[in-house]
Amino acid sequence: MTFGYFAKYTLFYIYIFLDKKMTEQELLKFKARAAVLKALAHPTRLWLVEQLQQQERCVCELTDGVNADISTVSKHLSLLRQAGIVSSRREGKQIFYRIETPCLLKTLSCLESVIEKTPPNMQR
């Protein structure tokens, strides 16, 4: 086998398998995934999701935990709700939130594994 044959085969492989273009449907799927990840991309929102994994909670309970005012916590929860991560219900003047997608907690657990394997000088 000559180097030319190997190079030709490699180029064929790259052309066939790696030169695949993203379809419109795939682009929409990845944009949707990015939107969910963007909704989670804040320390306060990650903390809120962890708090809601045990049980439904009122905004007033969550406000004390993050040392922020109700409007700030409500805005964070609203972003999570728009992304489909949490849902809410009103009871009188109080609004209660709960996790809508418990499978997301496995993803957060997976992130912990990535963090543990990342060298300290690579972590922010």
Side-chain angles (χ1 to χ4, degrees):
M1 186 179 331
T2 66
F3 179 73
Y5 174 80
F6 178 74
K8 186 187 243 183
Y9 178 76
T10 302
L11 288 174
F12 176 75
Y13 174 80
I14 290 170
Y15 177 76
I16 296 297
F17 296 105
L18 300 181
D19 195 35
K20 182 181 178 218
K21 303 287 187 224
M22 190 182 324
T23 66
E24 198 62 35
Q25 186 176 4
E26 287 173 322
L27 178 61
L28 291 174
K29 177 178 72 172
F30 291 124
K31 281 184 175 184
R33 287 179 181 178
V36 171
L37 292 172
K38 186 176 178 181
L40 288 169
H42 191 282
T44 299
R45 292 192 287 271
L46 288 169
W47 185 85
L48 291 168
V49 168
E50 280 196 0
Q51 298 309 301
L52 294 172
Q53 75 181 352
Q54 279 110 38
Q55 67 183 25
E56 179 180 76
R57 301 225 181 191
C58 173
V59 175
C60 57
E61 294 174 309
L62 296 167
T63 300
D64 295 336
V66 293
N67 196 23
D69 59 33
I70 289 179
S71 65
T72 301
V73 174
S74 292
K75 180 65 177 170
H76 284 299
L77 290 165
S78 174
L79 288 168
L80 292 171
R81 191 180 70 240
Q82 289 171 11
I85 297 167
V86 301
S87 60
S88 63
R89 69 175 178 86
R90 181 177 291 274
E91 191 174 295
K93 291 184 177 184
Q94 295 181 324
I95 300 176
F96 290 86
Y97 286 86
R98 66 185 167 281
I99 290 285
E100 193 63 32
T101 52
C103 61
L104 183 63
L105 301 171
K106 292 178 186 176
T107 302
L108 297 179
S109 177
C110 181
L111 288 175
E112 293 301 320
S113 299
V114 171
I115 292 167
E116 289 171 7
K117 292 178 183 178
T118 305
N121 62 338
M122 298 296 288
Q123 296 177 6
R124 285 191 193 185

